[in-house]
Amino acid sequence: MDNTYSSRENSSDPREILHMGTEYLSKRLYQLCTQEDITLAKMLVRPVNIFLWDEAMTKQTILTEEKYGSVRREYIVCGADNSWSAEFQRSMVEKSPGTEMREIDGADHMLMLSKPKDLVHHLMNIATKYA
C-alpha cells in the first residue's frame, strides 16, 4: 500500500518506523468508519515503531500462567479487522495466559468507531464481571 518506512536516528535502537499512508488507513484500519472519522485519523496519524513478530516467537511460550497469567485480561476480537486477521487475534489470545476472549463481528481495527455500541456493551459486562 502507501506506507513508508524509516530508520530511527538513534543507532542504539535499530527499530524501523512505520509511516501509515492515507490509503492504508482508509482500507485497512478505518474501512467501516465514517468519512469524518477517516479524515480526522489522516490528520492525527503519527509514525509508530514496528514490532517484528518473528517465527521463533510463534513457536515459544514467552508468557507463563504463574507470572503474566496471574492478572485477568479480556480481549475483543474485531471480526472485520483488515490489519490483523481474526485468526491472528485469536492466536495472540491463546498465547496469553489468563486472557478471555470476546468477539464483535463486523468491527474493523478501530472498534471504538466502527461498533461503539457493541464495544460499550462488552465493556459494561467486563466491568460488572470484575466489580
Side-chain angles (χ1 to χ4, degrees):
M1 299 208 114
D2 61 341
N3 294 335
T4 58
Y5 302 88
S6 63
S7 298
R8 294 182 66 87
E9 296 293 325
N10 182 352
S11 61
S12 66
D13 187 2
R15 289 179 290 179
E16 283 190 289
I17 304 296
L18 168 65
H19 305 267
M20 290 180 267
T22 57
E23 182 180 354
Y24 180 81
L25 291 169
S26 296
K27 293 183 178 177
R28 301 292 294 255
L29 299 180
Y30 292 85
Q31 81 272 10
L32 301 175
C33 295
T34 66
Q35 190 57 47
E36 290 83 6
D37 289 334
I38 295 169
T39 300
L40 182 59
K42 290 174 182 177
M43 292 171 34
L44 298 175
V45 69
R46 300 289 183 263
V48 295
N49 289 324
I50 296 176
F51 174 77
L52 298 175
W53 189 274
D54 65 10
E55 190 174 323
M57 291 177 77
T58 63
K59 290 184 170 55
Q60 62 182 325
T61 301
I62 299 170
L63 308 173
T64 64
E65 184 68 39
E66 298 78 34
K67 295 179 182 176
Y68 188 75
S70 64
V71 176
R72 308 313 300 170
R73 284 167 305 288
E74 302 267 346
Y75 183 91
I76 300 175
V77 173
C78 301
D81 189 334
N82 283 347
S83 63
W84 290 3
S85 70
E87 294 78 26
F88 178 75
Q89 294 175 65
R90 287 186 203 100
S91 74
M92 288 191 316
V93 172
E94 290 171 10
K95 291 176 174 57
S96 180
T99 303
E100 293 187 36
M101 182 174 54
R102 298 164 184 263
E103 295 194 36
I104 298 179
D105 290 330
D108 66 16
H109 191 76
M110 296 301 163
L111 168 62
M112 63 287 216
L113 299 174
S114 64
K115 291 285 188 170
K117 291 179 182 177
D118 293 344
L119 175 60
V120 168
H121 172 76
H122 283 292
L123 292 175
M124 293 298 293
N125 286 337
I126 291 167
T128 300
K129 177 180 175 179
Y130 293 105

